[in-house]
């Protein structure tokens, strides 16, 4: 599928030249999904496939204590998403504004997935619940304090 093509009713705009922020990616997400067509619409933290959260070397000490949490919120950058659509027409749906959709196509393609922490390995986390492309850059990890805390095997 051509992800740069527009569907009937979709509109776009040129992206601004200025940049407002600088992000530091702290790792990469390893999933079984090679294309956007392979990705589920939403991750399943209980029955989804096992995935790895690989943390870059300088950030590994920041994982200390993460095994105390059953669920984590992962923020990541959808690096292959378009950023210029104002309105979108989901497959078989009505045309809506980008901010009324959970589509990866948005001005700042930041995604959030609540994942289940399965295990902690040297410099990596094993999780369930991701819905992104293999190799997606990781922005941040936050423990989900609302979910019940349990000890995860390391």
């Amino acid at each position: 599928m051509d992800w740069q093509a527009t569907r009937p009713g979709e509109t776009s705009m040129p992206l601004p030249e200025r940049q407002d922020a600088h992000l530091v990616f702290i790792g990469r997400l390893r999933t079984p999904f090679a294309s956007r067509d392979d990705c589920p619409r939403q991750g399943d933290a209980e029955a989804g496939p096992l995935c790895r959260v690989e943390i870059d070397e300088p950030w590994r000490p920041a994982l200390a204590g993460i095994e105390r949490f059953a669920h984590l919120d992962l923020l990541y950058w959808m690096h292959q998403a378009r950023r210029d659509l104002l309105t979108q027409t989901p497959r078989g749906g009505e045309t809506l504004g980008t901010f009324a959709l959970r589509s990866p196509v948005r001005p700042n393609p930041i995604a959030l997935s609540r994942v289940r922490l399965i295990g902690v390995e040297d410099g990596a986390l094993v999780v369930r619940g991701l819905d992104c492309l293999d190799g997606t850059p990781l922005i941040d990890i936050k423990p989900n304090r609302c979910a019940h805390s349990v000890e995860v095997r390391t």
Side-chain angles (χ1 to χ4, degrees), residues 42-64:
Q42 208 163 21
D44 183 343
E46 301 308 318
L50 288 175
C51 299
R52 287 177 55 84
V53 179
E54 295 178 349
I55 305 301
D56 292 340
E57 181 64 40
W59 302 106
R60 290 179 182 176
L63 293 174

Side-chain angles (χ1 to χ4, degrees), residues 30-51:
R30 297 296 171 195
T31 71
F33 312 121
S35 73
R36 281 185 53 194
D37 285 333
D38 295 340
C39 294
R41 288 189 70 130
Q42 208 163 21
D44 183 343
E46 301 308 318
L50 288 175
C51 299

Side-chain angles (χ1 to χ4, degrees), residues 97-108:
T98 290
F99 301 138
L101 297 167
R102 292 190 55 87
S103 162
V105 178
R106 41 201 338 101
N108 295 300

Side-chain angles (χ1 to χ4, degrees), residues 119-136:
V120 180
E121 300 176 353
D122 187 32
L125 307 173
V126 178
V127 301
R128 290 188 190 276
L130 284 172
D131 58 357
C132 60
L133 293 172
D134 184 51
T136 295

Side-chain angles (χ1 to χ4, degrees), residues 72-76 78 102 110-114 131 142:
L72 305 171
D73 291 336
L74 302 183
L75 293 152
Y76 49 94
M78 295 176 286
R102 292 190 55 87
I110 297 171
L112 168 71
S113 282
R114 179 149 303 146
D131 58 357
K142 296 180 183 271

